[in-house]
Structure formats: C-alpha cells, structure tokens
C-alpha cells in the first residue's frame, strides 16, 4: 500500500483540563512545532472551561485568541509568560500557519467568556488560516479531517 501521498491525520491538542495560562502555552508550543515540521496540517484544539465562579458576563479577559486570552489584571501569567510574549509568539508562528495550516477547529464549552468566544470567531484574520468553533468534538474532528483530505 502506497501511503506516501496520504494526508496526515489532524493533530488534537487537548488543553481542556489545564488552567488557562498553561493551555495558552501548550497551544502555542504545539502549533509552533507543527509549523516547524514544514508539512501541511490541521488541528483540533480542545479548550478549557472558564475558572470556577467566572461566568461569561463576569469575564475580564482581553483575548488575543481563544487559546491566547489574557487577564487584563494580570499581564504575567502563573506560567511566567506575559501578554506581550504570547502575542509575539503568535506573530512568529503566523506565517507558518498561513502557509501550512489547513484549519484550526476550536472545541470550547458553552460557558466561555464572551471575549474568548469572539476571539475564536476572529478566524483567519488572527490565525492566518481557516478556523471553526463548536461545542461538538465529533464535528470538529470531521471538519479538520476534511480540511486535510482525510
């Protein structure tokens, strides 16, 4: 069987159980690694729920993206990365995303803050590649699979 021309399966990046700052770092690291491979890809991003006690209306996050949202009151996260560092990291990988990423499927809980939801839907303007957002992981997997021809 010749699999030389077979498209790779979409990469699933599960940050659903992580605190937001760790989720942000993991998503950027994984996307950076995917772009460094210099091969076309699609990814499914399983995003974390908001912290306990925070509702969409009570959110004070200022999102750069769903996975790169930052707290206005805390410019440096617990993981030690600042807002500026995350923005710089996204800017550095964006050319690779534009060239190689066939799509990013965000799977987010229904109760995410409004700012994060808006950032997810900012799509290609922010990420440089097609995006979709859903609460349904099966739909995200199907969409990402279709984007890479699988």
């Amino acid at each position: 069987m010749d699999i030389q021309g077979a498209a790779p399966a979409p990469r699933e990046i599960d940050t659903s159980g992580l605190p937001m700052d760790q989720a942000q770092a993991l998503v950027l690291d994984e996307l950076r690694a995917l772009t460094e491979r210099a091969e076309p890809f699609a990814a499914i991003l399983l995003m974390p729920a908001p912290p306990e006690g925070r509702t969409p209306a009570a959110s004070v996050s200022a999102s750069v993206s769903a996975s790169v949202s930052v707290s206005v009151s805390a410019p440096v996260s617990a993981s030690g990365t600042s807002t500026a560092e995350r923005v710089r990291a996204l800017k550095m990988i964006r050319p690779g995303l534009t060239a190689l990423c066939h799509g990013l499927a965000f799977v987010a809980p229904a109760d995410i803050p409004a700012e994060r939801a808006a950032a997810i839907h900012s799509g290609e303007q922010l990420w440089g590649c097609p995006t979709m957002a859903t609460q349904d992981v099966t739909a995200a997997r199907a969409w990402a699979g279709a984007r890479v021809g699988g």
Side-chain angles (χ1 to χ4, degrees):
M1 183 168 127
D2 180 18
I3 59 168
Q4 194 170 12
R11 171 65 186 221
E12 196 161 299
I13 303 169
D14 187 356
T15 66
S16 59
L18 298 176
M20 184 52 64
D21 63 323
Q22 291 176 13
Q24 296 162 358
L26 178 60
V27 165
L28 288 172
D29 287 347
E30 291 286 330
L31 292 177
R32 181 180 308 109
L34 287 167
T35 61
E36 288 173 355
R37 287 180 31 201
E39 298 174 0
F41 69 92
I44 302 150
L45 309 170
L46 306 175
M47 303 309 298
E52 282 290 318
R54 280 182 73 176
T55 63
S59 171
V60 294
S61 66
S63 291
V64 174
S65 74
S67 62
V68 189
S69 68
V70 294
S71 172
V72 172
S73 62
V76 177
S77 70
S79 68
T81 58
S82 71
T83 302
E85 289 170 326
R86 287 188 296 271
V87 169
R88 236 183 335 270
L90 180 58
K91 285 182 179 180
M92 286 179 60
I93 65 172
R94 193 171 188 279
L97 292 173
T98 300
L100 300 167
C101 182
H102 288 227
L104 298 174
F106 292 91
V107 181
D111 59 346
I112 63 170
E115 293 88 351
R116 282 181 55 206
I120 287 173
H121 294 288
S122 65
E124 197 163 343
Q125 297 166 4
L126 178 66
W127 293 101
C129 63
T131 64
M132 70 93 71
T134 183
Q135 296 170 30
D136 181 353
V137 70
T138 302
R141 288 175 179 144
W143 183 85
R147 303 292 306 169
V148 292

